[in-house]
Amino acid sequence: MANACAIIGIGQTAYKTKRLDVSMAGLLREAARRALDDAGLTWKDIDAVVVGKAPDLFEGVMMPEPYLADAIGATGKPLMRVHTAGSVGGSTAIVAASLIQGGVHERVLTIAWEKQSESNATWALTVNSPFTTSLVVGAGGYFAPHIRAYMRRSGAPDHIGALVAVKDRENALKNPYAHLKIPGISREMVEMTPMLWEPIRYLETCPSSDGACAMVLASEDAAKKAPNRPAWVHGTAMRSEPMMFAGRDTVSPQGGKDCAADVYRQAGITDPRRELDCAEVYVPFSWYEPMWLENLGFCGEGEGWKLTESGATALDGDIPWNASGGVLSSNPIGASGMIRFAEAALQVRGQAGEHQVDGARRALGHAYGGGAQFFSMWIVGSEKP
Amino acid sequence: MPSEPNHILEFPGGYTRSVGPVIGRFFSDLRDGRLTGVRTAAGKVLVPPAEYDPETSEDTTGEYVEVGPAGTVTTWSWVPRPLKEHPLDRPFAWALIRPDGADTALLHALDVGVFEEGAKPPKFLKTGMRVRPKWRDERTGGIGDIECFLPEVTMINAPTRLEYRMKGGRTLQRFLEGVSEGRILGDRCPVCEQVIVPMKGICPRDGVPTTEEVELPHTGTVTTFAVNNIPDPRAPEVPFVSAYVLLDGAGLTMLTLVAGIPADQVRMGMRVKAAWRPREEWGRTMNNIKWFEPLDEPDLPFEAIKDYT
Ligand SMILES: [Zn+2]
């Protein structure tokens, strides 16, 4: 049986198109220092540091973690870097949690970031070898066919994507860190924006952001000394699968289903819609909300869009999804998964401010990456498991 | 344009001016590469220094204060077409610059980079901008010892280039050999018995080596697709359709370009065939296939392709 792991500190930077006011190191330090302040700790109290980010080509710094080691307080301490594509923010937190759960360390600082403005993610995601032909499509081009397949399979009406795009941006207006703030966002506004990769419209996609997110994870003993109420880890899981293989379900990947089943089992959850109070789920394209509702077992196959349409996932619904505004409102890619995990923890700590879900006691944090092939999830609760 | 003069009045050798102790101190320090101000009785620091406080007319205190050299632009005026008397021969700004530690601003030229004559001011030129003096190598003790001010460094450029010697590997070479002969090769997994195309040498699902090479027909079915509207110099002209095509007999789809039909008429279930370039243009590359284009056959029902989406 693993030791208990608490989240005692959370720090986020403002998410913006370009954080030209800080260096890469400064960006990480901004998030890390806020997490340390929340935990009532200083750099020297930390036993180990676990960092994560998406591909190095995003900023063009090869293995940035050695260069950042002293900037993030890892001098003379264990430092580890995690990389699992877009799901990395989640996996990084899980690796950090495992160092507490395994009894190796008392206090671990974990940070994930991206400074997308230093380069061009679409370029970085479309690096071809001389042996393959190029169809420069970026992430949107990759996911659009799978969204089309979902719409066809489920018979979902066309407007569901716009509903999610509106809901998450309305939530973002309540989150001081969110990147996209679109007062008066409406379905008409979303539907008027151009199709970038049909069936995905401009306002149905995530922005590209600079930003970092950090957490201090702690053992039960260390959590007792923390000044603020902790959140507790009730379960963690990761899964991966190849991008292409015969019989792969690309719309609802088996890896996602298996990952969810694993994390629910650890947390003793059999009916996620009823037993969880809210969820922060990686939705970079609005249609992924109904798709992941099904993949994560919040409803039956083909029913996800009905849940979205009913308003169940809105801030005042019975199972709010992405009260923070989600990836659709802020997307520093490598950090986006950790933001989901951190926002889930904020909710059960009762510290989510204006976007707090009343009485949230258990929440899911979720991230996915690559060709919807890497998954990381955790469930956090207000009570020690 | 100013007209050419027809008469010039110039005092031979230039006037001589005694600068007094205060301005003299300022110029001497400029020659040493320093910016100096003077404190008033009220505690303010004047730059350039003066012998008197302009607000009260009282003498300044004689306490000199080193300021800057960095400072903040308090306001500016853009000069899109510099005259020959101007300090710079390309568009620049006259700026009031308050050196750090000073309470007043001094006027100087601000060089914000290379612009064509007549250019509009760049967006990054703003009140509040941080700047520093560019000192001349040979200084004589005058305001011209500062050639101009320059923006502080906020970004550097980091060119990055990696060079590789890549080998495709045995399986890929075999596949490209096939393509160079106008053949599409896959391989069959001994466990799931599915045909994987392009051939990989292993089954990604079962993790075992494939055992049987299979030549596939050049016809297939569009399972799903995207209409791409974002132009990119490396991509086809927009709108273009990137589609997953299930070759007849294959166990999985291939991502390809679908053309030869308006983008808005591409359908799930549409039957397509490979459109090869002229034989003389073939090489060991998938570029031999230009794209997939419609076949004159009825669409497959979604049920028949659902499991491949
Ligand atoms: Zn197989």
Side-chain angles (χ1 to χ4, degrees), chain A residues 235-290:
Chain A
T236 66
M238 289 188 258
R239 288 293 186 280
S240 60
E241 67 184 38
M243 185 144 88
M244 295 287 273
F245 61 89
R248 180 171 190 226
D249 187 337
T250 323
V251 172
S252 188
Q254 191 60 41
K257 291 181 185 172
D258 292 347
C259 191
D262 188 2
V263 80
Y264 295 157
R265 183 189 51 74
Q266 293 172 43
I269 283 172
T270 52
D271 181 348
R273 181 177 175 189
R274 197 169 51 78
E275 295 169 72
L276 291 168
D277 298 305
C278 57
E280 283 283 337
V281 178
Y282 205 103
V283 176
F285 302 101
S286 58
W287 278 96
Y288 268 87
E289 176 174 300

Side-chain angles (χ1 to χ4, degrees), chain B residues 189 191-192 203 206:
Chain B
C189 168
V191 177
C192 64
C203 174
D206 299 305

Side-chain angles (χ1 to χ4, degrees), chain A residues 189-384:
Chain A
M189 199 189 287
V190 175
E191 287 175 344
M192 269 169 53
T193 59
M195 287 285 186
L196 301 186
W197 310 272
E198 196 201 295
I200 305 177
R201 291 183 183 85
Y202 176 70
L203 274 181
E204 291 172 334
T205 69
C206 52
S208 135
S209 319
D210 286 354
C213 179
M215 290 189 281
V216 177
L217 307 187
S219 68
E220 189 175 353
D221 279 349
K224 281 181 188 148
K225 298 169 196 147
N228 295 316
R229 182 169 145 189
W232 296 92
V233 175
H234 287 207
T236 66
M238 289 188 258
R239 288 293 186 280
S240 60
E241 67 184 38
M243 185 144 88
M244 295 287 273
F245 61 89
R248 180 171 190 226
D249 187 337
T250 323
V251 172
S252 188
Q254 191 60 41
K257 291 181 185 172
D258 292 347
C259 191
D262 188 2
V263 80
Y264 295 157
R265 183 189 51 74
Q266 293 172 43
I269 283 172
T270 52
D271 181 348
R273 181 177 175 189
R274 197 169 51 78
E275 295 169 72
L276 291 168
D277 298 305
C278 57
E280 283 283 337
V281 178
Y282 205 103
V283 176
F285 302 101
S286 58
W287 278 96
Y288 268 87
E289 176 174 300
M291 290 165 74
W292 290 148
L293 277 165
E294 296 174 26
N295 188 251
L296 294 172
F298 282 69
C299 59
E301 202 167 304
E303 306 287 319
W305 65 269
K306 295 175 190 167
L307 213 55
T308 290
E309 193 178 41
S310 74
T313 57
L315 197 46
D316 59 357
D318 71 83
I319 180 65
W321 268 37
N322 296 321
S324 67
V327 181
L328 277 175
S329 305
S330 314
N331 188 32
I333 301 179
S336 290
M338 189 170 288
I339 300 168
R340 308 279 71 70
F341 278 43
E343 284 284 345
L346 280 176
Q347 289 289 350
V348 300
R349 296 173 84 196
Q351 289 184 340
E354 262 196 90
H355 64 282
Q356 177 69 44
V357 173
D358 282 343
R361 301 178 64 78
R362 273 210 290 194
L364 168 71
H366 162 282
Y368 84 96
Q373 64 194 119
F374 304 111
F375 296 90
S376 56
M377 302 178 195
W378 83 1
I379 288 173
V380 286
S382 54
E383 305 299 325
K384 189 169 81 75

Side-chain angles (χ1 to χ4, degrees), chain A residues 133 145 148 153 195-196 198, chain B residues 224-225 227-229 253 287 309:
Chain A
T133 47
R148 185 186 300 278
R153 281 200 209 175
M195 287 285 186
L196 301 186
E198 196 201 295
Chain B
T224 185
F225 62 96
V227 182
N228 296 269
N229 291 312
T253 56
N287 284 332
T309 63

Side-chain angles (χ1 to χ4, degrees), chain A residues 64-279:
Chain A
E65 64 284 1
Y67 136 70
L68 289 165
D70 49 356
I72 53 179
T75 308
K77 295 172 186 174
L79 169 68
M80 197 186 300
R81 186 257 178 104
V82 180
H83 177 26
T84 60
S87 72
V88 67
S91 340
T92 304
I94 289 176
V95 170
S98 71
L99 294 174
I100 302 290
Q101 292 169 320
V104 182
H105 296 301
E106 292 293 304
R107 296 178 188 88
V108 176
L109 173 66
T110 182
I111 317 172
W113 88 98
E114 210 70 69
K115 202 156 184 300
Q116 287 210 61
S117 68
E118 306 226 338
S119 171
N120 177 319
T122 298
W123 174 83
L125 288 172
T126 318
V127 180
N128 293 292
S129 84
F131 309 109
T132 53
T133 47
S134 167
L135 267 183
V136 178
V137 288
Y142 176 82
F143 289 112
H146 308 310
I147 288 171
R148 185 186 300 278
Y150 170 74
M151 293 164 78
R152 179 67 175 261
R153 281 200 209 175
S154 67
D158 288 352
H159 69 271
I160 301 298
L163 297 183
V164 179
V166 171
K167 177 204 62 144
D168 284 5
R169 271 54 170 273
E170 282 176 341
N171 291 347
L173 293 170
K174 299 177 193 289
N175 178 357
Y177 296 112
H179 175 175
L180 282 191
K181 304 261 190 183
I182 313 175
I185 179 96
S186 66
R187 185 174 147 189
E188 293 67 35
M189 199 189 287
V190 175
E191 287 175 344
M192 269 169 53
T193 59
M195 287 285 186
L196 301 186
W197 310 272
E198 196 201 295
I200 305 177
R201 291 183 183 85
Y202 176 70
L203 274 181
E204 291 172 334
T205 69
C206 52
S208 135
S209 319
D210 286 354
C213 179
M215 290 189 281
V216 177
L217 307 187
S219 68
E220 189 175 353
D221 279 349
K224 281 181 188 148
K225 298 169 196 147
N228 295 316
R229 182 169 145 189
W232 296 92
V233 175
H234 287 207
T236 66
M238 289 188 258
R239 288 293 186 280
S240 60
E241 67 184 38
M243 185 144 88
M244 295 287 273
F245 61 89
R248 180 171 190 226
D249 187 337
T250 323
V251 172
S252 188
Q254 191 60 41
K257 291 181 185 172
D258 292 347
C259 191
D262 188 2
V263 80
Y264 295 157
R265 183 189 51 74
Q266 293 172 43
I269 283 172
T270 52
D271 181 348
R273 181 177 175 189
R274 197 169 51 78
E275 295 169 72
L276 291 168
D277 298 305
C278 57

